Amino acid sequence: MKKLLLLMLFTFTTIASANEEVLSFPFTPDNVNDWRYYSDQVMGGVSEGQVSLEQDADKVFIRLSGNVRTDNNGGFIQLRTTTSLSNKPLMFKLLHNSNKEGKKLKGIRLEVKGNGEKYHIFIQTTIFYRLPTSYKIATFDTSPNWETVEIPFNKFKKLKDNIDSNIRAKDIKTFGIVAYGRDFKSDLSVSSVEFYY
């Protein structure tokens, strides 16, 4: 039975295996300060949703649910974390200092399940220009079963013109998990975000 928890922040762990190192950020009920829910209502849209942290047996996960509507030039709900000149959450500190012995992070892995819809990761690499057109995005599919989705940084595209836009981990300033772009019902669960070498 699922137990509803308050929305909280990632905690940081480093997972090492025989052939790789990973920066892993599982969702846990420790802290909420650095993640925020946003919808297109901040710009006049009418999408409605919510974010909750839930638990099913020993698995804790974030759930982004609601109705995405494109009325009034809207079309998104999202969970986002951001760094700024005055506040640099631990995730960004680790990403910005992630180069190791010449190795750089190559991409993102998510553990997800959903309602069969497509969802997005939105990343920005500047803290000074935060218009929607400045996002770099990647899309992933979901199913009702837990799956690992892997997205290399070189598969991201610029939202404005759909041109390839390779990302460097040390440049990431915002990271969003987003239901976006069309009229549909969102039901996305994410238990962890990893950045892999």
Side-chain angles (χ1 to χ4, degrees):
M1 182 175 180
K2 291 180 180 177
K3 180 181 177 185
L4 182 64
L5 302 171
L6 293 176
L7 169 62
M8 304 297 176
L9 168 72
F10 286 140
T11 57
F12 169 71
T13 58
T14 300
I15 300 173
S17 66
N19 57 7
E20 67 180 347
E21 287 183 344
V22 176
L23 298 182
S24 180
F25 303 91
F27 283 105
T28 71
D30 288 340
N31 182 324
V32 70
N33 295 331
D34 296 319
W35 288 86
R36 298 285 184 270
Y37 167 80
Y38 295 92
S39 78
D40 56 25
Q41 293 186 22
V42 301
M43 48 189 279
V46 294
S47 298
E48 296 180 336
Q50 64 181 1
V51 173
S52 58
L53 193 70
E54 301 184 13
Q55 185 167 357
D56 189 3
D58 62 348
K59 187 180 287 291
V60 178
F61 54 94
I62 200 75
R63 187 174 183 184
L64 178 65
S65 57
N67 291 304
V68 180
R69 295 173 54 189
T70 56
D71 310 52
N72 295 349
N73 296 314
F76 72 86
I77 60 174
Q78 71 170 303
L79 175 67
R80 186 173 75 204
T81 185
T82 302
T83 189
S84 68
L85 295 176
S86 60
N87 178 43
K88 194 167 189 176
L90 179 60
M91 183 174 113
F92 294 99
K93 290 178 182 176
L94 295 169
L95 287 176
H96 297 169
N97 294 287
S98 60
N99 291 357
K100 293 184 177 181
E101 300 174 355
K103 294 171 59 179
K104 298 180 181 179
L105 291 169
K106 296 179 181 177
I108 299 164
R109 290 192 191 110
L110 309 173
E111 187 177 8
V112 303
K113 72 173 182 176
N115 57 351
E117 297 284 354
K118 290 182 181 294
Y119 295 91
H120 304 270
I121 297 298
F122 278 30
I123 286 175
Q124 285 181 301
T125 55
T126 175
I127 60 176
F128 299 109
Y129 182 65
R130 287 193 174 154
L131 295 176
T133 53
S134 68
Y135 284 107
K136 284 107 175 157
I137 71 167
T139 302
F140 60 93
D141 295 312
T142 60
S143 78
N145 301 313
W146 285 104
E147 299 176 333
T148 300
V149 173
E150 186 169 294
I151 308 170
F153 286 139
N154 62 11
K155 296 298 182 183
F156 279 75
K157 295 184 179 293
K158 293 181 181 178
L159 177 61
K160 181 179 180 180
D161 49 23
N162 202 38
I163 294 174
D164 289 350
S165 180
N166 194 18
I167 293 169
R168 298 183 303 178
K170 69 176 187 176
D171 295 333
I172 294 174
K173 301 298 190 297
T174 70
F175 186 96
I177 300 167
V178 189
Y180 166 75
R182 64 197 186 283
D183 296 297
F184 74 106
K185 182 176 181 179
S186 170
D187 192 355
L188 170 66
S189 297
V190 183
S191 67
S192 66
V193 177
E194 295 181 348
F195 297 85
Y196 64 88
Y197 286 93

